[in-house]
Amino acid sequence: MANQPAAGLRARMARWPVTAPPTLYLVLFFLVPTLIMVLASIQYPGEFGGLSPILIEDQGHTRLDITLENYQRAVSETIYLQLFLKSLWYAIVTTVLCLVLAYPLSMMIARSNKKYRDLLLLLVILPFWSNFLIRIYAWMIILGPQAALAKGVNAALGAVGMEPVSLLFSPFAVIVGLVYVHLPFMILPLYANLEKHDPTLLDAAQDLGANAWQRFWKVTFPLSLPGVYAGAALVFIPALGAFAVPDLLGGTDAIMIGNVIKEQFREARDWPFGAALSFVLMAVALLAALAAAWAGKRYQQQAD
Amino acid sequence: MAGATRSNSATRVSRPLLGLSLAVYLFLYIPLIVVIVYSFNASRVQSGEWGGFTLDWYNKLLHNETLLNATLNSLIIGVAAAAIATVLGTLAGLALHRYKLRLLPVLVLAPVAIPEILQAVSLVLFFNAINLTLGMVSIILSHVAFCISFVAIVVRSRLQGMDESLTEAARDLGATPWQAFRMVTLPLIMPGIIAGALMAFTLSIDDFVITFFTSGPDAATLPLQIYSMIKVVVTPEVNAVSTLLMLLTLILIIIANKIAPSALQAK
Amino acid sequence: MKKLLWALLLVAGGFANSSNAEDVLHIYNWNNYIAPETMERFKQFCKCKVVYDTYGDNDELLAKLAAGAKGYDILVPTQNAVETLIKQKQLLKIDHAQVPNLKNINPAYLNLAFDPNNQYSVPYAYTVTLIGFNEQKMKELNYPTDSWAAIFDPANLAKVKGKITVLDSPTELFAAAYKYLGYSINDTDPAKLAKAKEVILKAKPYWAAFNNTSYIPGLAAGNLWLVHGYSNDMFQANLDAKSNKRAFSIGANVPKEGAVFALDNMVIHKAAPRPDLAHKFINFMLDGKNSSELTNLIGSGNPNSAAQEFIKPDIKANKGIFPDQELLKKLEQSKDVDAKSRRERSRVWTAIKAAKVK
């Protein structure tokens, strides 16, 4: 990296036009609001919702009324732990499936004629400009009992003497939904990476006698790893906190940790606990991202 | 680099690759086809059956000022949020790639990880504290806050492993940092910027939770309208308006491409 | 790129109509919760502009207002949310001198516990949470639909497994289970909550989903046979089934054990920019004819005595929408719940929803 040792005040000043605008924006509109919620996570819920005052009058003098019990509850009660694990598992499955589906498509777009690349990319994102809820409703119809898919599956199951199944309101529907809504966030970063690969490398590999499979695993895939990480982060982390898809497509035991968090800001009106759960979830997500980055570095070092 | 000739079989789009890609496109488009087909369905009930072709829902939609206004609001917010987030996100991506920073990497990753509802509540509390009236401006400011990360992460991954010697060469030849960026770096990272901008626009135009909280009177977006409609009665009018939004967006992009074709291309 | 984006912004901005300073009333209400013709007449009457924004449920509304959102004049929350808003000091007192039409409201719906003397709220419309069903299918199966046993008793449920949904709302589902067990829906005794949990967990394996939104098309299409939901939704589902020329109709029963009665009320937000227009609107909506139009549009219950003569006869005859005196006595309104009980209930609710089926 261009981290010159001569970095004095001048070098730092030269950075500012690049680093200052996004940093300032995110500090103002992300960090400061989030700190309000960090404070909320150690407060008590208000009797009627919202937050109870942080300073209270106690026998003539004011004192801080804060607690760690929200975090204690978030990490000590097994039900929340189970839901964290379940959400992790769903997010991992979603990420892997997205990667498997996105890779061929991104590769095809990156390798197609330059004239059509932007168009092909646009076609990927186009369906996502209709409305989220309407697309999920469309999936409810596709997976529903009157659609061809369920009828076909159940006819096949019936032929081998098995009970008919419901595709809608099942874990299968949840996974389909999660993969569907997150897929473009894997395809776009992967494409942005694959598009820059130097074709002469692959030609050279072919000249050296590598077959298509070897060329992929030895050249294309390792080079695309930054794109894979970017896509994986943009799929895994949001999928971990998903709530709308399990709500709408899942059965009676479909909830994930995101549903519990949402619930704390709705009927439960327990913002402190909702905030505490949210920060635990953020920590899990960021730790997972760090672990993946570390594993990736090890893998690359071994490959070199 | 990108313009190299493709005579060699190693980099051609092979048949299995094309087949797989078409299958994935199909997966992406099946629900969309359902959405569009049902917007022409004469039957009000949406459950997998056909009640005959009709244009009634579009006719109704054209007289529904509330929905049309919401569509327009969504487009304005989406374009504005994506534009600002793309500029700031590209800078953030560059910064992450070039410098060893402490705060910015966390600031970029954390908004992706924070549950939407927490961010939504925190933003309303914040806007209230600084006395900003809720409305279009507060929605755009909030959308930018969660879109920057997506652009930054893609731009950074595009830069990774890229040869920076060209930029340095340009600097050695006397180019100012801005010139070097404009002439060398920007064209190289353009596909990443486009991918990031598309994601930012998509996230903004589809967002419900954060928009619901940060919106004020008279600033309803399409998702807000659709969510409250679906709680009461779903009619194919909702499908019609979704289809319309998609078409409008597509037209906007095509016009943009005509006005400034260079802006959407890598070179 | 930048130039292009600015150009786009300008083009987009050009379309946005800028509203000048004029009389504007801001209503924050449920979607489709006022008849278009009523709205038109109100605009002519007050010579003002009306901005109508919508929310999806009370919890969203409460969360948004608790975070400090303002700018709305009129809100239309359900009674327990009204109670919460009163306690949070979020509402403005209604000046009764400005709403003479309050006399039109049936006294049975006035001066209720959540707002004594209607200091802050005026009744708008109501729904009953009940059981909706496919009438032909239920007859065929000889299925009892007059009791909460229809959705809770495993002895019945085997016949409708996977064809039944319940509301995805702790308030509503616990209330139904409480009624089934013979408790008051506002009981906060943890032992009773545990009993309700037991009942729900035994029935859960037979339910297809917790569902607030898609049961109307589900019923109308014949995919669902039995649902726990709102009276006006069953009315809608039946209309849809009819218009699709189904071989079945959708019926609704208020279970004999009693059910939840939800009264939506007009209130004025404390930060209302135009309380004067808000009062005008409230009085206007209390007029019999104006009030009846909503009922005729969506099949909501109507607390306005002067409205009765304008209501379509088939809606008036619908017992799910207009329960008779005897049924009315068994209906109960949800109250606001304190922080400790909310926390306990949320804990049990999470356990119920996370419990593995099979």
Side-chain angles (χ1 to χ4, degrees):
Chain A
M1 283 196 205
N3 207 10
Q4 261 81 15
L9 188 65
R10 274 183 63 127
R12 280 186 174 274
M13 296 253 291
R15 289 177 180 190
W16 283 354
V18 180
T19 57
T23 309
L24 282 178
Y25 193 95
L26 287 169
V27 165
L28 193 58
F29 294 107
F30 175 75
L31 188 61
V32 172
T34 304
L35 287 177
I36 301 178
M37 294 317 278
V38 171
L39 202 61
S41 73
I42 53 169
Q43 283 178 255
Y44 289 98
E47 196 60 19
F48 314 113
L51 303 166
S52 81
I54 196 160
L55 291 171
I56 55 168
E57 286 290 326
D58 193 12
Q59 289 159 356
H61 43 87
T62 355
R63 68 173 176 87
L64 270 178
D65 190 31
I66 54 172
T67 175
L68 282 176
E69 74 171 41
N70 301 306
Y71 285 98
Q72 256 166 19
R73 183 178 164 204
V75 297
S76 66
E77 290 185 24
T78 46
I79 180 109
Y80 303 119
L81 183 68
Q82 282 166 0
L83 286 172
F84 270 114
L85 290 176
K86 178 182 176 186
S87 304
L88 268 174
W89 172 237
Y90 271 50
I92 291 170
V93 172
T94 303
T95 311
V96 170
L97 287 175
C98 278
L99 182 61
V100 170
L101 289 178
Y103 216 104
L105 188 58
S106 307
M107 201 150 96
M108 188 277 280
I109 300 176
R111 288 185 178 181
S112 56
N113 189 323
K114 194 157 171 21
K115 268 200 290 200
Y116 304 118
R117 265 182 237 164
D118 286 339
L119 178 70
L120 290 170
L121 201 61
L122 201 62
L123 283 177
V124 168
I125 203 86
L126 185 70
F128 295 84
W129 295 341
S130 63
N131 180 270
F132 171 83
L133 211 53
I134 300 305
R135 290 194 304 275
I136 296 295
Y137 266 62
W139 274 113
M140 290 174 105
I141 291 173
I142 298 163
L143 298 169
Q146 300 205 344
L149 185 64
K151 282 184 176 155
V153 167
N154 282 328
L157 285 175
V160 293
M162 283 166 71
E163 292 252 326
V165 293
S166 165
L167 296 181
L168 185 59
F169 303 140
S170 69
F172 169 76
V174 175
I175 291 290
V176 169
L178 285 175
V179 168
Y180 185 78
V181 301
H182 292 109
L183 191 52
F185 299 99
M186 182 67 91
I187 295 175
L188 292 173
L190 259 183
Y191 159 78
N193 177 283
L194 288 167
E195 201 266 355
K196 73 180 179 190
H197 288 192
D198 190 346
T200 53
L201 276 177
L202 289 176
D203 293 343
Q206 189 177 34
D207 294 343
L208 292 171
N211 64 28
W213 196 242
Q214 287 169 328
R215 289 197 302 268
F216 176 76
W217 280 115
K218 298 282 179 198
V219 183
T220 308
F221 188 73
L223 281 174
S224 70
L225 276 175
V228 173
Y229 293 144
L234 297 185
V235 171
F236 175 82
I237 300 177
L240 195 58
F243 60 88
V245 170
D247 252 357
L248 293 164
L249 296 177
T252 50
D253 57 357
I255 60 162
M256 294 168 62
I257 196 69
N259 298 80
V260 182
I261 293 173
K262 187 188 77 164
E263 174 63 19
Q264 304 310 313
F265 289 93
R266 293 170 48 88
E267 281 207 45
R269 276 180 274 141
D270 194 343
W271 292 7
F273 183 54
L277 274 178
S278 299
F279 289 120
V280 174
L281 179 69
M282 272 178 82
V284 171
L286 295 179
L287 281 177
L290 269 180
W294 180 79
K297 259 197 195 121
R298 290 281 304 245
Y299 172 83
Q300 262 173 333
Q301 278 165 1
Q302 275 174 358
D304 285 347
Chain B
M1 167 185 82
T5 46
R6 296 291 162 95
S7 54
N8 201 309
S9 68
T11 45
R12 256 200 357 235
V13 176
S14 64
R15 259 158 202 270
L17 185 60
L18 193 65
L20 282 172
S21 307
L22 286 177
V24 178
Y25 270 124
L26 194 67
F27 176 67
L28 289 171
Y29 274 82
I30 285 178
L32 185 71
I33 292 166
V34 172
V35 169
I36 296 175
V37 166
Y38 273 74
S39 71
F40 297 106
N41 190 357
S43 161
R44 262 176 50 93
V45 185
Q46 307 214 40
S47 57
E49 63 189 328
W50 186 243
F53 180 88
T54 182
L55 285 172
D56 275 7
W57 304 113
Y58 285 90
N59 193 22
K60 260 198 167 162
L61 174 62
L62 290 180
H63 296 101
N64 190 335
E65 213 181 300
T66 318
L67 274 185
L68 292 178
N69 245 332
T71 310
L72 195 62
N73 283 347
S74 283
L75 280 174
I76 295 170
I77 293 167
V79 171
I84 302 169
T86 303
V87 173
L88 291 175
T90 303
L91 288 177
L94 274 172
L96 290 179
H97 177 68
R98 285 191 183 159
Y99 314 116
K100 262 196 149 22
L101 302 164
R102 280 202 203 96
L103 183 60
L104 196 59
V106 182
L107 284 181
V108 163
L109 206 52
V112 187
I114 196 169
E116 269 180 304
I117 189 136
L118 185 86
Q119 198 178 6
V121 171
S122 76
L123 282 165
V124 186
L125 289 171
F126 173 70
F127 289 143
N128 214 26
I130 63 169
N131 232 338
L132 182 87
T133 312
L134 297 183
M136 297 281 269
V137 173
S138 58
I139 299 177
I140 293 171
L141 288 173
S142 310
H143 283 198
V144 172
F146 66 76
C147 288
I148 289 179
S149 312
F150 285 78
V151 181
I153 289 172
V154 181
V155 168
R156 184 190 181 208
S157 93
R158 169 86 187 180
L159 280 161
Q160 263 167 356
M162 207 169 239
D163 197 355
E164 282 250 53
S165 57
L166 277 174
T167 319
E168 277 158 34
R171 293 298 308 280
D172 291 345
L173 291 172
T176 65
W178 169 246
Q179 283 169 328
F181 172 75
R182 182 82 183 72
M183 306 302 211
V184 183
T185 315
L186 190 63
L188 283 177
I189 60 173
M190 200 38 121
I193 295 178
I194 290 176
L198 285 175
M199 288 199 286
F201 179 76
T202 309
L203 285 166
S204 167
I205 209 156
D206 226 13
D207 176 74
F208 170 72
V209 178
I210 290 174
T211 314
F212 175 81
F213 277 90
T214 55
S215 69
D218 211 9
T221 63
L222 199 54
L224 297 197
Q225 282 297 327
I226 290 180
Y227 271 71
S228 65
M229 279 168 89
I230 250 160
K231 292 267 167 73
V232 195
V233 166
V234 208
T235 68
E237 201 179 347
V238 180
N239 295 50
V241 75
S242 299
T243 309
L244 181 79
L245 176 70
M246 209 169 53
L247 268 177
L248 281 177
T249 314
L250 195 62
I251 292 169
L252 216 63
I253 296 247
I254 291 169
I255 294 173
N257 211 7
K258 282 261 149 64
I259 298 175
S262 59
L264 286 175
Q265 273 159 23
K267 278 192 185 165
Chain C
M1 181 89 186
K2 233 179 172 174
K3 238 185 257 164
L4 160 81
L5 291 166
W6 281 118
L8 279 179
L9 254 182
L10 285 178
V11 172
F15 284 111
N17 44 351
S18 53
S19 55
N20 2 345
E22 54 177 343
D23 292 339
V24 184
L25 174 70
H26 290 98
I27 303 177
Y28 203 28
N29 197 354
W30 310 75
N31 199 307
N32 198 32
Y33 214 39
I34 183 168
E37 64 267 27
T38 322
M39 182 66 106
E40 274 317 306
R41 280 207 311 278
F42 177 71
K43 283 184 199 163
Q44 283 165 16
F45 166 73
C46 79
K47 299 190 186 61
C48 63
K49 211 181 134 202
V50 177
V51 173
Y52 188 89
D53 283 290
T54 52
Y55 51 85
D57 61 46
N58 288 306
D59 300 309
E60 284 172 1
L61 174 70
L62 286 179
K64 184 168 170 169
L65 293 177
K70 46 184 181 263
Y72 306 102
D73 295 299
I74 293 275
L75 316 167
V76 192
T78 308
Q79 84 277 331
N80 49 330
V82 172
E83 191 182 345
T84 312
L85 289 171
I86 293 173
K87 287 178 181 164
Q88 290 176 343
K89 301 192 171 43
Q90 291 257 20
L91 301 182
L92 212 63
K93 278 193 181 161
I94 291 175
D95 177 7
H96 286 221
Q98 291 187 54
V99 285
N101 283 341
L102 188 58
K103 65 174 191 313
N104 290 342
I105 297 290
N106 180 340
Y109 302 102
L110 291 175
N111 194 20
L112 298 171
F114 67 89
D115 180 20
N117 299 320
N118 290 81
Q119 286 197 69
Y120 297 95
S121 70
V122 167
Y124 187 73
Y126 63 77
T127 55
V128 179
T129 316
L130 38 56
I131 299 173
F133 48 88
N134 183 318
E135 288 185 308
Q136 278 59 38
K137 206 72 199 175
M138 291 297 108
K139 232 174 251 163
E140 213 174 278
L141 295 170
N142 199 14
Y143 200 91
T145 53
D146 62 339
S147 154
W148 287 114
I151 66 167
F152 288 126
D153 187 356
N156 294 331
L157 284 166
K159 287 192 225 167
V160 293
K161 186 173 182 194
K163 301 289 182 189
I164 167 173
T165 66
V166 295
L167 285 171
D168 189 7
S169 150
T171 312
E172 293 288 0
L173 195 60
F174 283 134
Y178 273 32
K179 280 289 169 200
Y180 177 57
L181 289 164
Y183 309 147
S184 156
I185 62 170
N186 292 310
D187 205 312
T188 51
D189 176 8
K192 287 181 177 156
L193 188 64
K195 266 270 172 53
K197 177 184 174 188
E198 215 174 284
V199 163
I200 292 169
L201 282 181
K202 269 192 196 136
K204 186 172 116 155
Y206 300 94
W207 300 337
F210 294 95
N211 185 334
N212 281 347
T213 47
S214 64
Y215 63 81
I216 302 178
L219 275 174
N223 294 338
L224 294 175
W225 297 343
L226 189 65
V227 309
H228 167 220
Y230 300 104
S231 48
N232 49 328
D233 289 349
M234 306 312 163
F235 173 78
Q236 190 60 52
N238 191 41
L239 285 186
D240 287 350
K242 246 191 229 165
S243 75
N244 271 44
K245 301 191 180 59
R246 302 284 182 202
F248 56 80
S249 53
I250 305 303
N253 271 344
V254 179
K256 60 184 180 209
E257 299 92 345
V260 177
F261 173 87
L263 184 64
D264 292 336
N265 304 271
M266 293 180 273
V267 300
I268 306 176
H269 193 236
K270 67 163 184 223
R274 296 299 301 266
D276 55 326
L277 293 178
H279 278 93
K280 259 190 189 171
F281 178 79
I282 291 177
N283 196 49
F284 183 85
M285 290 312 293
L286 288 172
D287 171 73
K289 173 119 184 25
N290 297 337
S291 170
S292 70
E293 285 168 344
L294 176 67
T295 301
N296 288 335
L297 179 71
I298 64 164
S300 57
N302 195 315
N304 193 317
S305 302
Q308 305 303 318
E309 57 174 308
F310 303 105
I311 294 172
K312 288 181 196 160
D314 61 319
I315 295 181
K316 226 164 148 184
N318 187 323
K319 264 200 176 181
I321 299 174
F322 288 96
D324 53 33
Q325 281 307 309
E326 199 175 325
L327 266 177
L328 266 179
K329 269 183 241 150
K330 291 190 204 152
L331 300 180
E332 207 179 343
Q333 300 193 326
S334 302
K335 287 192 180 130
D336 188 31
V337 188
D338 66 57
K340 192 166 158 277
S341 308
R342 283 203 307 271
R343 198 166 253 206
E344 190 50 38
R345 214 166 62 168
S346 159
R347 190 178 263 134
V348 174
W349 179 248
T350 304
I352 286 172
K353 289 202 73 177
K356 285 213 173 60
V357 180
K358 274 171 210 176

